Amino acid sequence: QQALVGQVSQYIMQRKMARMLLLAPPGRDIEMRTGRAERLAGRAARRSRETVAVVFVDLDNFKTINDCHGHGVGDVVLQVAAKRLRISMRGHDTVARVGGDEFVLVLTRCESRVAVEQTVDRLLDELAQPIVIGSGSVRLDASAGIALFPNHATDAQSLLRCADIAMYAAKRKGKGCCATYDAFAMLQQAE
């Protein structure tokens, strides 16, 4: 598991390093640097003999927020989303912003698929809380795809691909949804 979490961290960094930004309040890190993310996730995985979940989170209709309210508001929304993800997760899990409105979560010490799905549903509920900006507020929804090690894949790239496929399945279900990778179900939806 240690190698897997390291591979996920390394892949994330190689694929999206140019777009990654650190969005965290003082004292709270959203992991960004390859070495540090690998060390933190690796330590957590070494202590765990349980399932590791990779979760791909995409903010729904973020472009609309930028277009309607401006990029300044969009930046605040991203900062709030990052903060909500980080403070809602356990200390041994990892959060990385990997694109404009995309995050990857690495959850270690997962008890079961159901427990991971409940955690992700809770995170999506937290993200959906109104964000007060000035005299108004913005509502944010997110879609999430879940892939589990070793159930769905045993290497970082495959896990990220499975989580990404599941995230698009969640988007097809509607805003604010999550989906867990299921090769058979995903194949049938693609037909």
Side-chain angles (χ1 to χ4, degrees), residues 50 54 94:
E50 297 169 1
V54 174
T94 304

Side-chain angles (χ1 to χ4, degrees), residues 10-142:
Q10 184 176 21
Y11 179 79
I12 290 168
M13 299 313 297
Q14 289 172 347
R15 184 171 171 229
K16 306 268 186 164
M17 183 58 136
R19 296 190 307 176
M20 291 178 75
L21 299 172
L22 186 62
L23 294 174
R28 293 277 191 176
D29 288 345
I30 299 296
E31 293 310 325
M32 170 172 129
R33 295 176 185 86
T34 305
R36 187 161 183 221
E38 286 181 24
R39 281 193 306 277
L40 290 173
R43 263 186 254 139
R46 276 194 301 276
R47 292 188 297 261
S48 173
R49 298 239 191 287
E50 297 169 1
T51 301
V52 173
V54 174
V55 183
F56 205 104
V57 177
D58 183 74
L59 305 181
D60 296 328
N61 297 324
F62 180 72
K63 183 181 181 320
T64 303
I65 291 172
N66 266 341
D67 291 348
C68 292
H69 302 284
H71 292 281
V73 169
D75 290 345
V76 170
V77 168
L78 286 172
Q79 291 172 4
V80 170
K83 179 180 178 181
R84 287 179 178 178
L85 286 170
R86 180 69 259 163
I87 64 175
S88 297
M89 291 178 55
R90 302 167 300 178
H92 52 81
D93 295 329
T94 304
V95 181
R97 179 170 168 223
V98 294
D101 61 353
E102 300 170 332
F103 296 85
V104 170
L105 318 176
V106 180
L107 311 177
T108 58
R109 301 183 199 164
C110 302
E111 295 176 13
S112 67
R113 173 184 176 150
V114 172
V116 171
E117 290 169 343
Q118 290 171 343
T119 297
V120 173
D121 281 338
R122 183 179 46 78
L123 291 170
L124 294 179
D125 288 344
E126 183 63 31
L127 286 173
Q129 298 303 310
I131 299 170
V132 177
I133 300 174
S135 61
S137 67
V138 174
R139 181 171 158 80
L140 182 66
D141 286 303

